[in-house]
């Protein structure tokens, strides 16, 4: 944010903060060790509000739980923004000094009275106001979010609405005040930092910036295309248009993880050539022409990963990889050689040092020796004598405009509900969630036996179950506009009337992405996993004997 | 908090009992855990899975922790138990004076301890009725506590537990016989022990602490006022808090619970603390074997304690005082609850005490069978709804006590002394006795004395003079356990010791809690010592290694010595006992472990057992 | 307005240990000073990532002005404090704590330090007589506070009992449990805040227990294994380690430990992979790591199996 794609705060700041606002994040289960830091903060007296459609384990630690309707985050954020403005609690000094676009923001939130916000979001107006004022009044506040914000068709707008709240109150760039997007994988941050996103070069440089691109061109001896590449969803569209005919998939399992997965599978199956490089023979690998077995980098090879607090840390080889598995870099260098480019056989440290020579602002100071000795470093770390940066954007508080740099822009984003709208035909909202002991499509966590694990089920509120005449454990048909799956029903106190949820962990039990919505955010390419319109149908009598039948 | 509860549901009766006791606070109220468990015990006689889950749900306490608390206390049962249980004292003050005989008789009539579905019996440590051995405490669940009081009162309990009447139908019998116990177990009403009978000096001259025993009606505030009651509080409010603290300091009043810490130092520290929230706690968890003085004070003169706590609370700046009364003292609890309600009704407690504009009120909490909770920091943990495990000191309670706030904690007798000090002034009090030992002191005489009971004498009175008051030095006196199980034995040649902190220390003894338990030469000292060793093994909280394992090894070694089954000979066993003694004394967390070898050590030194 | 962490204001205080003066920041413990000075202070219930409970009492020292000995792990230094570690009283108490524990517990997996201290301080647990028979499964948890069978002294009471195996991830071998409270703290406010276990019962009969001693799968346990991470005696261990030990294939000498980063979310938890024979046998985290403070979740501690399974993944 503000030109740097990473959270602004160190984890330890949440221990020193006065208010925690967790938005679309069930950190208790999905980021348990980060939540330890949150709990320390709570024990030291911080208050916490949780925004989540479900009554999650996280929400049960909160002072206030804002159980909004799925996909109404911008409405809620704007309603809070207006409540803060109405109370005169905006941080004038910060807004004037460090932001642009305030007037547009004020106009954008103007329609969002408490009454309207409550009506659109389903959250009690008093609670919205209480939360907004608590956030604004706190001397320090942390705003954290996860997939509940980003797995929507308007993910980036959602994020920007939250950033607006931080700008409005000055809760950024100070120790204890900041914005923390909690990343879902150990190197989402690092992958982006290394340029594995369509619009960035390694080190976060804009790919359209001629000056920086020239440095990379010179170092790599090759001309980098000056325009943004495609993100995942655009790639699938290009496959559909038959513009992309060959795909090289590294460490991703779209044949299970994509929304509307039947469609994705059809496209993968129709390619001229598919290469899959993975530690497992995944569902995607089943479609591949070539499978390149690779090491599990976190324990079978050397390198670095970057965490949600921008901390770069070393991963190391502890065990020998199985069979023919090889490190990703070796595979890539071999491939390059066969394509006529001799990249040599660089050691992991040599690869890293090349990055350091180009990522001048973020990584130049992070030698392997320092990463080893200092237990990781947080970027930006531009030189060997730089201590790393726990808190970002402190510059915004500088008195000297020159030091302050580019102001942070407000984004007058507009609320737009889920594209997969509820209707009489599809009256229930289904959202996908994750559980403590499992991970994404379950490829890795399926390997161990968890005592917490239960059969995958569609979790619904008791009232909905009653209304539908289904009982706990009964198998039902779950139908969306894209398809249908069968699943047992489980009554769960975390659901609420009109809201059902399920995990993506066990596609072999319930292949939920057959029914999720492929609609994606044009800015990030993230699909609308969090909002599917469904109906629940009882199975025909005799189709299956219910477990606890009459 | 993301609580995970067992699926078992509470019964209607369990839910009603919990709701009446604690309501539905809606946020964590761990401090109501003991009242909630008492409510369940009082209603149904044991704590089921469903009941525990329900309590946890109400109070937002994790069930594993709640279970850890429930299983810490002897009066709680987490397995089905007969709803009416007789706890029979087999401790040093009762065993040889009818206690063991009573146990044998009950075993014959009711079967082994713990058996029986409707009624049962169990052995118990000292019940604080030593002057009328053998003693029995009856824990009787009464299913519908609501039927007894009026519904108004029951609803009021939701905000303030034990507002007026204690739950259950508990009672004490002493002296007890198998017949009286069986009849009481069948539900027959029991006359509580008359405290006046326990006070041979009652009505006599020169009494201060006991002056109102047998003179005032413990249930009648007007009777208390007619005897000069609430003059002390009036005076304290008039002279102001700083002056009251100063008088206590000048009086050189020391704690009467056993540790003998200067009371004025505690008060001054808390009064001077900048922390806005402070607490006063009265330690009425009198459990030292052989001790019953605080019980008598509470039963016979409860308003004095309430008034003294009000003086103390206001003086140190506390708005709330907690009175933690021993669970085996139902009569004292009833008397105190009645006095608190009366005092509140008359404006002696509440938002505007005696029209002074100062606020102070009392909460009465019932212990649940744990000697360790007489240790001040263990008591605070117990009040907070935790296991009664002592805390590390420092920080001391005056800095971080109850709920982490500065806290004055005083024993019942200590507090009652305060009334005299505010009435007469510190110097007058200090003129009695000498050195650090000022004022009068209560002693609990039992065993082979002619007139057992509580006696009040000026500090400095000799042990012989005290015995004379109780009918003379017992013939054939062999030893006196002075100060309690945590004290030590003294012999007939030491009777001229002045009963002061300094005088007793000079002969290697202690005043302790004022226990004077007399044994003649027919005593089976081996049995006495094994009972004491067993007592500490039972009452050790288990937190620190020296006490948890040391008390076990001490009991085992004593068993070998008295049975002549020494490993490697007597000298080696005595060395082993000395080694265990030293680590318990040197390295235990609290006073329990530090004194758990004291009586054994002195008995061995005096040759009371083992013949060496 | 400050944008950076101001930290804590700390003065230096002067402490004398065995006649040598040391300077230490206020807030430091006596043990911190002893550690800095290179002393070999025994410890069992202390851990750098847990609040001191000072329950074991093996680290006691003499402090001038205090009659009882003082636990060095918990007592904070004060200016002018005079500490002695070289006295017979200190040595006696340390020896007795080690001896009493060894007389009641199986300390055979308590590590090299404990074995060394046992010898160094001269602990002799056998002098309390032969060990009594082990308790039946669950019996110790059913004892009622304030009541115990009267011993005859012919044998010494111990906490011996069968191993509890009620789930696929870890075992509880309470014959080794010294009630150091570390697991309770790690499960509680010091880390996980799940409170699945607590100390139940009283005195020598106290145990670590779930509510009503229900099996872990019925309790609040989330299998973070942070209790295993802090257990000093091997009372809590992974099923993998337990089975290897039972089978006689446990090979601590051949074990390597490699530090890496967990792959299961974006928090970046530091993992120490304990590897024997090219197989991950345990996962821990360094207690001084700023992200984890030594604590992990179920995925980090037990989720490594996917790099071990020879069978095809994707078949859960």
């Amino acid at each position: 944010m503000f030109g740097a794609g990473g959270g602004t705060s160190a984890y330890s700041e949440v221990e020193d903060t006065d208010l925690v606002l967790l938005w679309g994040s069930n950190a208790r289960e999905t980021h348990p060790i980060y939540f330890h830091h949150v709990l320390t903060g709570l024990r030291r007296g911080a208050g916490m509000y949780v925004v989540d459609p479900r009554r999650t384990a996280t929400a049960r630690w909160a002072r206030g739980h804002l159980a909004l309707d799925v996909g109404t985050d911008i409405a809620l954020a704007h309603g809070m923004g207006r409540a803060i403005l109405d109370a005169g609690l905006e941080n004038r000094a910060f807004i004037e000094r460090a932001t642009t676009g305030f007037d547009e923001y004020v106009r954008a939130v103007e329609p969002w009275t408490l009454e309207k916000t409550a009506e659109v979001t389903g959250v009690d107006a008093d609670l919205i106001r209480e939360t907004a004022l608590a956030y604004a009044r706190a001397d320090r506040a942390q705003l954290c979010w996860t997939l509940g914000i980003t797995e929507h068709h308007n993910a980036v707008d959602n994020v920007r609405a939250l950033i607006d709240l931080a700008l409005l109150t000055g809760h950024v760039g100070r120790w204890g005040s900041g914005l923390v997007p909690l990343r879902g994988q150990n190197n989402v941050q690092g992958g982006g930092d290394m340029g594995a996103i369509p619009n960035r070069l390694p080190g976060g440089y804009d790919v359209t910036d001629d000056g920086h691109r020239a440095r990379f061109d010179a170092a790599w001896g090759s001309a980098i295309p000056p325009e943004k590449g495609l993100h995942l969803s655009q790639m699938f569209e290009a496959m559909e248009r038959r513009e992309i005919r060959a795909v090289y998939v590294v460490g991703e399992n779209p044949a299970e993880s994509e929304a509307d997965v039947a469609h994705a599978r059809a496209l993968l199956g129709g390619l001229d050539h598919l290469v899959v490089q993975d530690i497992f023979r995944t569902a995607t690998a089943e479609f591949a022409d070539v499978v390149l077995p690779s090491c599990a980098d976190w324990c079978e090879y050397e390198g670095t990963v970057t965490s949600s607090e921008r901390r770069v840390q070393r991963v190391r080889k502890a065990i020998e990889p199985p069979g023919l598995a090889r490190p990703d870099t070796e595979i890539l260098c071999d491939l390059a050689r066969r394509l006529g480019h001799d990249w040599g056989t660089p050691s992991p440290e040599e690869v890293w040092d090349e990055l350091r020579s180009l990522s001048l602002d973020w990584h130049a100071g992070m030698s392997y020796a320092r990463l080893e000795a200092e237990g990781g470093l947080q970027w930006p770390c531009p030189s060997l004598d730089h201590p790393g940066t726990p808190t970002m954007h402190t510059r915004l508080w500088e008195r000297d405009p020159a030091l302050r740099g580019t102001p942070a822009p407000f984004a007058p984003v507009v609320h737009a509900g889920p594209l997969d709208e509820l209707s009489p035909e599809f009256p229930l909202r289904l959202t996908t969630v994750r559980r403590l002991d499992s991970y994404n499509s379950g490829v890795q966590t399926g390997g161990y036996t968890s005592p917490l694990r239960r059969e995958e089920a569609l979790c619904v509120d008791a009232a909905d179950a009653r209304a539908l005449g289904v009982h706990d454990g009964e198998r039902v048909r779950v139908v969306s506009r894209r398809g249908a799956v069968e699943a047992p029903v489980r009554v769960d106190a975390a659901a609420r009337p009109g809201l059902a949820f399920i995990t993506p962990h066990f596609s072999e039990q319930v292949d939920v992405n057959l029914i999720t919505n492929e609609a994606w955010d044009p800015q990030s390419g993230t699909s609308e996993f969090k909002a599917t319109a469904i109906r629940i149908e009882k199975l025909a009598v005799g189709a299956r004997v219910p477990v606890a039948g009459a | 908090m993301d609580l995970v509860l067992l699926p078992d549901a509470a019964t209607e009766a369990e839910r009603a009992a919990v709701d009446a006791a604690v309501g539905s606070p809606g946020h964590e109220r761990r401090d109501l855990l003991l009242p909630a468990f008492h409510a369940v015990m009082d209603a149904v006689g044991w704590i089921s899975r469903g009941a525990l889950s329900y309590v946890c749900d109400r109070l937002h306490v994790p069930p594993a922790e709640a279970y850890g608390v429930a299983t810490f206390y002897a009066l709680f049962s987490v397995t089905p138990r007969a709803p009416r249980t007789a706890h029979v004292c087999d401790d040093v003050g009762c065993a040889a004076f009818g206690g063991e005989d009573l146990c044998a008789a009950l075993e014959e009539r009711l079967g082994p301890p713990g058996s029986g579905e409707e009624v049962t019996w169990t052995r118990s440590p000292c019940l604080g009725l030593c002057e009328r051995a053998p003693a029995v405490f009856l824990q009787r669940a009464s299913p519908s506590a609501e039927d007894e009081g009026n519904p108004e009162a029951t609803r009021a309990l939701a905000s303030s537990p034990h507002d007026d009447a204690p739950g259950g139908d508990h009672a004490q019998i002493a002296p007890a016989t198998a017949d009286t116990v069986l009849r009481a177990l069948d539900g027959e009403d029991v006359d509580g022990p008359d405290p006046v009978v326990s006070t041979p000096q009652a009505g006599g001259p020169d009494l201060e602490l006991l002056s109102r025993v047998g003179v005032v009606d413990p249930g009648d505030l007007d009777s208390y006022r007619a005897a000069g009651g609430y003059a002390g509080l009036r005076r304290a409010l008039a002279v102001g808090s700083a002056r009251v603290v100063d008088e206590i300091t000048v009086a050189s009043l020391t704690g009467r619970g056993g540790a003998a810490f200067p009371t004025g130092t505690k008060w001054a520290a808390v009064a001077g603390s900048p922390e806005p929230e402070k607490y006063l706690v009265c330690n009425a968890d009198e459990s030292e074997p052989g001790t019953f003085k605080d019980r008598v004070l509470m039963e016979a003169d409860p308003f004095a304690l309430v008034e003294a706590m009000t003086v103390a609370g206001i003086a140190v700046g506390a708005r709330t005082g907690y009175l933690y009364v021993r669970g085996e003292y139902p009569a004292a609890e009833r008397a105190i609850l009645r006095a608190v309600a009366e005092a509140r009704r008359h404006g002696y407690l509440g938002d505007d005490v005696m029209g002074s504009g100062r606020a102070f009120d009392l909460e009465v909490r019932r212990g649940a069978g744990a000697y360790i909770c007489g240790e001040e920091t263990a008591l605070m943990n117990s009040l907070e709804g935790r296991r009664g495990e002592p805390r590390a000191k420092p920080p001391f309670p005056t800095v971080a006590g109850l709920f982490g706030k500065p806290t004055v904690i005083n024993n019942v007798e200590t507090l009652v002394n305060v009334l005299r000090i505010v009435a007469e002034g510190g110097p007058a009090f200090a003129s009695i006795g000498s050195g650090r030992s000022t004022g009068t002191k209560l002693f609990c005489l039992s065993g082979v004395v002619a007139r057992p009971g509580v006696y009040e004498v000026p500090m400095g009175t000799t042990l012989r003079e005290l015995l004379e008051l109780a009918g003379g030095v017992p013939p054939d006196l062999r030893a006196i356990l002075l100060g309690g199980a945590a004290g030590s034995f003294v012999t007939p040649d030491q009777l001229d010791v002045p009963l002061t902190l300094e005088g007793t220390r000079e002969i290697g003894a202690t005043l302790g809690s004022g226990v004077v338990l007399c044994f003649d030469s027919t005593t089976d000292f081996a049995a006495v010592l094994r009972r004491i060793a067993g007592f500490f093994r039972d009452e050790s909280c288990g937190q620190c290694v020296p006490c948890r394992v040391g008390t076990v090894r001490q009991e085992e070694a004593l068993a070998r010595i008295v049975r002549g089954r020494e490993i490697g000979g007597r000298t080696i066993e005595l060395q082993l006992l000395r080694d265990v003694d030293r680590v318990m004394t040197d390295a235990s967390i609290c006073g329990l472990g530090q004194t758990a070898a004291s009586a054994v050590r002195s008995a061995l030194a005096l040759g009371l057992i083992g013949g060496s | 307005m400050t944008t950076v962490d101001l930290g804590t204001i700390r003065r230096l205080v002067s402490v004398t240990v065995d006649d040598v003066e040391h300077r230490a920041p206020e807030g430091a413990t006596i043990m911190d000073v002893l550690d800095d000075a290179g002393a070999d202070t025994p410890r069992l219930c202390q851990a750098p990532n847990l609040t001191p409970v000072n329950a074991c009492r093996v680290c006691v020292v003499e402090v001038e002005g205090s009659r009882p000995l003082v636990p060095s792990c918990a007592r904070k230094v004060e200016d002018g404090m005079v500490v002695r570690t070289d006295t017979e009283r200190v040595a006696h108490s340390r020896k007795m704590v080690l001896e009493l524990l060894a007389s009641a517990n199986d300390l055979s997996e308590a590590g090299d330090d404990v074995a060394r201290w046992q010898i160094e301080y001269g602990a002799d647990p056998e002098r309390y007589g032969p060990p009594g028979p082990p308790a039946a499964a669950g019996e110790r948890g059913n004892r009622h506070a304030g009541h115990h069978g009267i011993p005859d002294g012919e044998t010494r009471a111990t906490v011996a009992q069968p191993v509890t195996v009620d789930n696929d991830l870890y075992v509880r071998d309470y014959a080794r449990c010294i009630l150091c409270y570390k697991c309770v703290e790690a499960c509680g406010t010091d880390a996980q805040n799940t409170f699945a276990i607590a100390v139940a019962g009283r005195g020598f009969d106290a145990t670590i227990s779930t509510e009503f001693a229900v099996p872990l799968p019925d309790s609040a346990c989330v299998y973070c294994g942070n209790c295993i991470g802090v257990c000093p005696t091997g009372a809590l261990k992974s099923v993998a380690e337990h089975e290897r030990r039972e089978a006689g294939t446990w090979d601590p000498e051949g074990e390597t430990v490699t530090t890496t980063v967990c792959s299961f979310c974006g928090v970046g938890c530091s993992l120490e992979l304990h590897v024997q024979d090219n197989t991950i046998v345990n996962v821990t985290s360094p207690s001084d790591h700023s992200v984890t403070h030594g604590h992990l979740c179920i995925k980090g501690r037990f989720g490594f199996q996917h790099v071990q399974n020879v069978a095809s993944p994707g078949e859960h």
Side-chain angles (χ1 to χ4, degrees), chain C residues 8-16 21-28 32-33 36 77-81:
Chain C
T8 322
I9 302 169
R10 283 206 172 167
R11 296 181 189 165
L12 285 178
V13 298
S14 171
V15 188
T16 307
E21 190 177 320
H22 299 264
R23 306 278 288 169
E26 65 179 352
D32 292 335
V33 176
D36 282 349
V77 293
E78 293 159 32
D79 200 34
M81 190 179 251

Side-chain angles (χ1 to χ4, degrees), chain B residues 144-158:
Chain B
S144 49
E146 212 152 338
D147 295 347
E148 296 189 357
N150 60 59
E152 292 283 290
T154 311
R155 265 194 296 280
L157 291 180

Side-chain angles (χ1 to χ4, degrees), chain A residues 354-476:
Chain A
E354 189 220 50
L355 168 84
R356 289 174 56 214
S357 73
L358 291 165
S359 175
L360 303 176
D361 300 328
W362 289 1
H363 298 103
M366 296 182 180
S367 65
Y368 260 32
R370 283 192 73 192
L371 292 175
E372 175 88 37
E374 298 176 41
L377 284 163
Q378 287 166 280
W379 62 251
C381 180
S383 61
L384 283 171
D385 59 359
H386 190 284
T389 309
T391 311
M392 280 194 81
H393 307 302
T394 55
R395 66 174 173 87
L396 294 171
W397 293 92
E398 294 286 351
R399 279 175 185 282
D400 180 350
L403 294 173
R404 210 182 294 152
T406 315
F410 276 97
V413 295
V414 176
H415 164 69
L419 297 178
D420 204 12
E421 286 180 12
L422 299 182
S423 67
E425 202 184 348
F426 299 103
L428 278 176
R429 180 59 73 197
L430 173 70
T431 194
T432 56
V433 306
R434 284 157 175 79
R435 292 199 189 273
L436 169 66
D437 61 349
S438 296
Y439 183 65
N440 291 351
S441 63
V443 169
Q444 294 163 64
T445 45
Y448 80 106
T449 317
S450 164
L452 299 172
R453 217 164 270 162
R454 294 193 290 171
E455 190 190 7
E456 185 58 65
L458 180 76
C459 297
V460 300
D461 186 79
D464 284 342
R466 266 196 308 277
L468 290 159
V470 296
H471 56 77
D472 210 74
E474 179 176 338
R475 283 189 77 83
V476 296

Side-chain angles (χ1 to χ4, degrees), chain A residues 76-383:
Chain A
L76 182 61
H78 280 3
M80 284 174 57
R82 168 149 180 186
I84 290 167
L85 288 164
D86 285 351
L89 288 170
E90 72 275 20
N91 190 325
R92 288 262 164 211
F94 180 79
I95 291 166
E96 280 162 22
R97 184 186 293 184
T99 70
T100 57
F102 177 61
D103 294 340
E104 291 83 345
Y105 175 73
V106 173
R107 278 196 293 280
V109 303
E110 213 274 321
W112 292 98
T113 60
L114 279 175
E115 295 68 33
K116 181 179 172 190
T117 308
E119 189 194 318
V120 171
T121 63
V123 181
D124 176 70
D126 288 341
L127 182 58
I128 297 170
R129 188 166 185 277
E130 176 191 325
T131 308
L133 301 197
Y135 183 67
R137 283 180 177 141
D139 183 52
R140 299 168 168 182
Q142 295 270 306
L143 206 174
C144 320
W145 66 87
T146 317
L147 298 179
I149 276 296
T150 53
E151 283 187 348
H152 290 282
H153 72 92
N154 51 353
V156 171
D157 282 356
N158 279 346
V159 171
R160 299 202 68 169
L162 299 191
I163 293 174
D164 285 343
L165 282 177
L167 296 179
L168 183 65
T169 51
H171 282 317
V172 68
R174 287 182 290 128
W175 181 260
S177 274
L179 293 156
V180 183
L182 292 164
R183 307 304 196 141
Q185 293 154 16
N186 74 340
N187 205 25
V188 174
Q189 181 70 50
D193 297 349
M194 298 305 118
I197 42 175
N199 59 337
R200 298 281 171 178
L201 292 163
Y205 301 107
D206 192 328
V207 74
T208 61
D209 182 312
D210 294 341
H212 287 303
R213 212 175 52 252
R215 283 198 299 115
F216 284 81
D217 286 352
W220 291 349
S222 177
I224 300 165
E227 62 278 340
K228 286 183 189 176
L230 304 180
H231 56 60
L232 186 57
S233 299
Q234 287 168 329
M235 289 181 200
F236 273 94
E237 288 193 343
M239 286 185 235
E240 182 143 38
R241 294 192 304 269
R242 303 185 63 81
E243 290 166 17
I244 288 182
R245 301 305 307 143
V247 170
Y248 185 174
V249 176
V250 183
E252 181 84 21
N253 187 14
E256 263 181 329
S257 60
E258 280 298 281
D260 192 6
V261 75
H263 187 220
R265 285 171 195 163
L267 292 174
L268 289 168
L271 288 168
D272 293 344
H273 192 68
L274 175 64
V275 181
V276 170
Q277 181 171 317
D278 205 295
I279 62 172
F280 287 132
R281 188 171 174 134
T282 59
T284 308
E286 297 298 328
F287 293 94
D289 299 284
V290 180
V291 177
L292 301 168
S294 64
C295 293
D297 287 334
W298 67 279
C299 64
E300 292 170 351
Y301 196 55
E302 306 282 321
T304 65
V305 292
T306 308
S307 75
S308 305
E309 60 171 355
R310 296 167 278 101
R311 183 181 298 275
V312 177
Q313 299 182 97
R314 289 271 284 107
V315 293
R316 296 178 181 83
K317 178 174 178 173
I319 54 174
E320 292 298 329
L324 299 173
R326 300 172 66 200
D328 290 304
T329 47
E330 281 185 31
I331 296 171
L332 288 172
C333 287
D334 254 13
L335 193 63
R337 191 160 26 248
R338 303 222 185 159
L339 292 170
H341 299 274
D342 185 4
W343 293 352
T345 52
S347 70
E349 184 167 8
E350 284 166 344
V351 173
W352 178 252
D353 283 341
E354 189 220 50
L355 168 84
R356 289 174 56 214
S357 73
L358 291 165
S359 175
L360 303 176
D361 300 328
W362 289 1
H363 298 103
M366 296 182 180
S367 65
Y368 260 32
R370 283 192 73 192
L371 292 175
E372 175 88 37
E374 298 176 41
L377 284 163
Q378 287 166 280
W379 62 251
C381 180
S383 61

